[in-house]
Amino acid sequence: MIQVIQAPRTALITTPYYNIHRPPNNQVVMTQGIPGGNHQTPQQLADEASKKREIRLMKNREAARHCRVKKKEYLKCLEERVQILEGQNKKLIDELKALKEFYTQHKKDYPEHKI
């Protein structure tokens, strides 16, 4: 004897329902579904999960590649900035040396002037 218990199909609820039946081997089997939804086998669910995983991994690889490219560009920009700042620093150091020399020379030439 096969017994089927399920939620009414007219319900607009997306809560799962359960089918309980006894196949010929006399074991109780309970399957779950969603009212009005399509029923997929465990293999189909596994295949779908596998496809979703592959898509997620592919998107992640692409995002990682994009991140590495942006990081490389950022580091290149920083290196260029370091070169510019080192050049400016060298110019300022040279200017400071020249001003110090001028000051000491001026102080020797004109000891009566207070600077």
Side-chain angles (χ1 to χ4, degrees):
M1 175 188 217
I2 298 176
Q3 233 180 2
V4 176
I5 303 171
Q6 86 182 44
R9 294 274 182 195
T10 58
L12 296 176
I13 304 168
T14 58
T15 56
Y17 66 88
Y18 298 93
N19 289 329
I20 302 173
H21 58 90
R22 245 179 235 278
N25 62 6
N26 228 10
Q27 290 181 335
V28 175
V29 176
M30 187 164 82
T31 58
Q32 181 180 2
I34 297 177
N38 58 354
H39 303 285
Q40 293 181 334
T41 65
Q43 180 62 39
Q44 288 171 329
L45 292 174
D47 289 346
E48 186 177 327
S50 177
K51 286 178 187 175
K52 284 183 180 181
R53 181 177 184 274
E54 284 299 318
I55 290 169
R56 181 175 45 84
L57 290 175
M58 200 178 335
K59 286 181 179 180
N60 188 38
R61 277 191 288 271
E62 185 61 33
R65 184 178 305 120
H66 180 70
C67 183
R68 286 190 298 270
V69 167
K70 281 183 70 175
K71 183 179 179 182
K72 193 180 263 188
E73 290 173 359
Y74 177 70
L75 287 175
K76 185 178 178 182
C77 181
L78 285 179
E79 288 170 353
E80 290 173 0
R81 181 136 170 87
V82 164
Q83 292 296 320
I84 291 168
L85 291 174
E86 284 177 345
Q88 288 177 348
N89 194 27
K90 186 178 181 323
K91 284 181 187 177
L92 290 172
I93 289 172
D94 292 343
E95 186 178 343
L96 180 63
K97 284 181 185 176
L99 288 172
K100 281 183 179 179
E101 287 175 11
F102 175 77
Y103 175 75
T104 55
Q105 186 63 37
H106 185 73
K107 200 172 182 182
K108 286 180 187 175
D109 292 343
Y110 304 99
E112 67 277 354
H113 287 199
K114 302 267 182 183
I115 299 177

